[in-house]
Amino acid sequence: MRPPSSLRLGPLAWLRANLFNSWLNSLITLVLLWMLLELVPPLLRWLVFNAQVSAPDAQACRAAGGACWAFIREKYRLILFSTYPYDQQWRPLLAILAIMAMLAASCDRRLWRWLPLLWLGGLGTVAVLMWGGVFGLPFVENRLWGGLPLTLILATVGLMAAFPLSILLALARRSDMPVIRAVAVIYIELIRGVPLVSLLFMASIMLPLFLPAGVTIDKLLRAQIAFILFASAFLAESIRAGLQAIPHGQYEAADALGLGYWRKMRLVVLPQALTLVIPPMVNTFIVVFKDTSLVVIVGLLDLLTSAKISINSADWRGFYREAYLFIAVIYFVFCFFMSRYSQWLERDLRRGPI
């Protein structure tokens, strides 16, 4: 018996079946190959071969004709920690590590029952590190916070507080009581019908006008409340979709077991509903994380704004491509982690309980 032809098996067969199976696909493949040949070599020369990592100044970087990673080495502390006191920047670094540790612990299903305590302790640690004023740490006002710690705090605290609120809103929107259902509908549609910028503007500019004389709310807290309201409305609609997807027989089975409303939701309905809507919920998580860059309109210095400040430095002016690429990698790492973890969680939950 003769071995099968290489045109039916192997790499050549795959290329013929997927890239050259018609004249149109062949043309598209050739055009894309030409574009790669035109774009990839210059990009590699700029990113790697002509890049400068240890250039003494900006002039040496510009003379090399490649990426100036020496700019990142010089300004990374400003980009990551913004205006936080220079000699105390180890504190926001530890705060970042604490938040990442909390996120990692949240990914382990065996620790889910302890998550409230873990997050309470973790956020307390972050607050002590960032504010100080205890344990011999100098007090640092939150107007000096910025960069990556501020971005992570706004996103994680906002989503953590918005998630239980969104569950209550989703349940209220499906309630049999007209008043509760109407309040939930008005809240969700109102928040979802306006951009986040308007919520931040209202929280920063308009809210203080309605407060009694002498009463003020911290600017960071106002921005955090806006993120909580925004995220909870979008998450509530995702969870409501999951509740509607649960077969009515599940509700009837829970009622037949004599379970009350809250036990029925906690033990039977919500676990199934939340499993169904993991992708849209994670999409909201990613959107909220990236939208933290909008807090610049209320005077907070997030990661993107700190990068813009570093670009305007007199001695390293103009290296915007390196700065934006640096923060793009940071955003991508966090968003990619959320995306991949959500896919793993979907597969893991479908296997049944631990």
Side-chain angles (χ1 to χ4, degrees), residues 4 22 24 62 94 109 131 136 148 178 186 193 198 239 294 338:
S22 68
L24 180 59
R62 292 189 178 94
L94 290 181
R109 291 180 61 193
W131 265 301
L148 184 57
I186 292 173
S198 64
I239 295 172
L294 297 175
M338 286 188 280

Side-chain angles (χ1 to χ4, degrees), residues 140-295:
V140 178
E141 298 181 33
N142 56 23
R143 65 181 180 84
L144 298 176
W145 299 7
L148 184 57
L150 180 65
T151 295
L152 290 177
I153 290 171
L154 287 171
T156 54
V157 175
L159 292 171
M160 183 192 67
F163 187 70
L165 177 59
S166 65
I167 293 177
L168 295 177
L169 288 169
L171 294 175
R173 184 156 188 173
R174 290 175 52 82
S175 173
D176 295 329
M177 292 179 279
V179 176
I180 293 179
R181 184 171 62 251
V183 171
V185 169
I186 292 173
Y187 172 84
I188 292 172
E189 296 303 330
L190 177 64
I191 299 299
R192 292 176 70 239
V194 296
L196 178 57
V197 172
S198 64
L199 295 178
L200 290 169
F201 178 80
M202 289 290 294
S204 178
I205 306 299
M206 302 301 296
L207 180 60
L209 300 179
F210 296 97
L211 296 176
V215 177
T216 59
I217 299 179
D218 184 78
K219 179 168 59 175
L220 176 59
L221 179 59
R222 296 200 298 266
Q224 189 70 82
I225 292 173
F227 273 94
I228 293 172
L229 298 177
F230 177 80
S232 62
F234 280 85
L235 287 173
E237 281 299 275
S238 298
I239 295 172
R240 183 175 71 92
L243 293 172
Q244 292 183 176
I246 301 301
H248 193 66
Q250 296 291 317
Y251 294 87
E252 295 175 345
D255 292 334
L257 292 173
L259 298 178
Y261 177 80
W262 293 109
R263 291 191 68 195
K264 175 175 65 177
M265 290 299 165
R266 182 172 62 89
L267 300 176
V268 178
V269 178
L270 278 175
Q272 299 180 70
L274 294 177
T275 301
L276 291 174
V277 294
I278 289 175
M281 285 197 303
V282 172
N283 182 65
T284 302
F285 294 168
I286 293 174
V287 168
V288 170
F289 176 69
K290 293 189 295 185
D291 281 351
T292 54
S293 60
L294 297 175
V295 296

Side-chain angles (χ1 to χ4, degrees), residues 25-57:
N25 284 346
S26 300
L27 179 61
I28 294 174
T29 300
L30 293 175
V31 170
L32 291 176
L33 287 175
W34 175 79
M35 292 176 62
L36 288 175
L37 291 175
E38 289 292 320
L39 295 176
V40 171
L43 184 61
L44 287 177
R45 283 196 296 270
W46 183 80
L47 280 174
V48 181
F49 301 118
N50 295 337
Q52 294 294 309
V53 179
S54 57
D57 51 34

